[in-house]
Amino acid sequence: MPVFQIAHLSKSFKDLQVLKDISMEVCQGEVVAIIGPSGSGKSTLLRCATFLETMDRGTLSYGNIAAVTCDEQGNSIYASPEILKKARGQFGLVFQNFNLFPHYSVLKNITDAPVSVQKRKEKEVREEAKILLRKMGLSGRENAYPFQLSGGQQQRVSIARALAMKPDILFFDEPTSALDPELTGEILKVIRDLAAEHMTMVIVTHEIDFARKVADRIIFMADGLIVEEGDAETLVSHPRNERTKAFLANLHSPDETAVPR
């Protein structure tokens, strides 16, 4: 059974259809990268997957939790608040702009939700948070506040915060786009380490070489559609679809910067 599955997802904002009949699934331990030009619907797909946007059509499930079903016309029907709460407990989301609470210390940013939402014991959660901070290379920063950290450090705290909830799957929405190039490498290393530990992840990214090396599978989106998907190395090196070929060729043209944005 897939950890995460979405089928026939459509989403419009007024007259603009942003997602058109999107279907995808992610299995345990799999790393899936989503690439594509700006405006292709990548971030909207993640926002629908994490209930930050409401689906118009289609279904969504986490394991055996059917969070969104549909009627005979395909219109999305959301489950009860109790089931949605259970579904939210299955995933973590790392934003591009960190979204840390500025008035909370690093430790409180990480421990607040496991204690207040999951009702876990504070002592146990604090110990686990310190282990996560060591893993992120942030030992000794427990009492710092976000404004005292670099962008890369803030993003590592936000990853630790997501992991503290013990999710089945982690979603990353352009995790390096708000960072200077010299800080990007440290975040990509953290994600690479998580992949080596078989953490299930979906990563929306513009870092194509990184996606090729870390992802098991790449999905290429354009104009609200999944245009092509397949083995990461094969899709980047030998794309079949002309739209995919044009996108990747443009990224590697000499007129483009080394890190496409």
Side-chain angles (χ1 to χ4, degrees), residues 120-246:
R120 288 161 55 198
K121 293 178 180 177
E122 186 170 356
K123 183 180 178 182
E124 170 192 307
V125 171
R126 286 171 67 89
E127 290 306 311
E128 289 177 3
K130 289 176 182 177
I131 292 169
L132 283 170
L133 286 171
R134 276 202 300 277
K135 189 174 177 178
M136 297 293 149
L138 291 169
S139 290
R141 304 297 277 165
E142 292 90 345
N143 297 318
Y145 285 83
F147 77 91
Q148 297 172 309
L149 305 177
S150 70
Q153 289 172 326
Q154 289 186 61
Q155 189 62 297
R156 280 182 278 156
V157 172
S158 73
I159 294 170
R161 179 179 62 180
L163 289 170
M165 299 291 282
K166 300 186 176 181
D168 288 340
I169 182 170
L170 266 186
F171 293 99
F172 292 84
D173 186 8
E174 297 276 16
T176 61
S177 66
L179 300 175
D180 294 331
E182 62 265 28
L183 298 176
T184 294
E186 63 188 55
I187 299 307
L188 298 184
K189 181 184 182 303
V190 168
I191 297 172
R192 194 179 295 116
D193 290 346
L194 290 172
E197 296 171 8
H198 306 292
M199 182 72 205
T200 309
M201 294 183 282
V202 175
I203 309 164
V204 169
T205 183
H206 58 265
E207 304 281 354
I208 305 301
D209 287 337
F210 170 76
R212 181 183 63 195
K213 292 171 184 172
V214 173
D216 299 298
R217 183 159 49 95
I218 291 178
I219 291 173
F220 172 67
M221 288 183 65
D223 304 317
L225 295 165
I226 292 178
V227 175
E228 184 172 353
E229 66 178 298
D231 169 77
E233 179 64 43
T234 302
L235 187 140
V236 173
S237 302
H238 305 288
R240 299 185 310 275
N241 187 279
E242 291 303 319
R243 184 73 177 83
T244 318
K245 290 178 184 177

Side-chain angles (χ1 to χ4, degrees), residues 9 47-48 51 53-56 58 60 66-70 75-81 84 88:
L9 161 62
R47 290 178 66 82
C48 286
F51 309 123
E53 297 288 356
T54 306
M55 297 166 53
D56 295 333
L60 186 161
V68 185
T69 55
C70 63
N75 299 310
S76 295
I77 301 171
Y78 279 74
S80 67
L84 291 180
R88 285 189 179 95

Side-chain angles (χ1 to χ4, degrees), residues 47 52 93-99 155 158 161 173 175:
R47 290 178 66 82
L52 295 174
L93 174 61
V94 178
F95 300 89
Q96 52 186 295
N97 292 315
F98 325 136
N99 281 28
Q155 189 62 297
S158 73
R161 179 179 62 180
D173 186 8

Side-chain angles (χ1 to χ4, degrees), residues 208-209 212 236 246-258 260:
I208 305 301
D209 287 337
R212 181 183 63 195
V236 173
F247 173 76
L248 293 170
N250 187 47
L251 292 182
H252 295 131
S253 73
D255 296 331
E256 295 294 319
T257 56

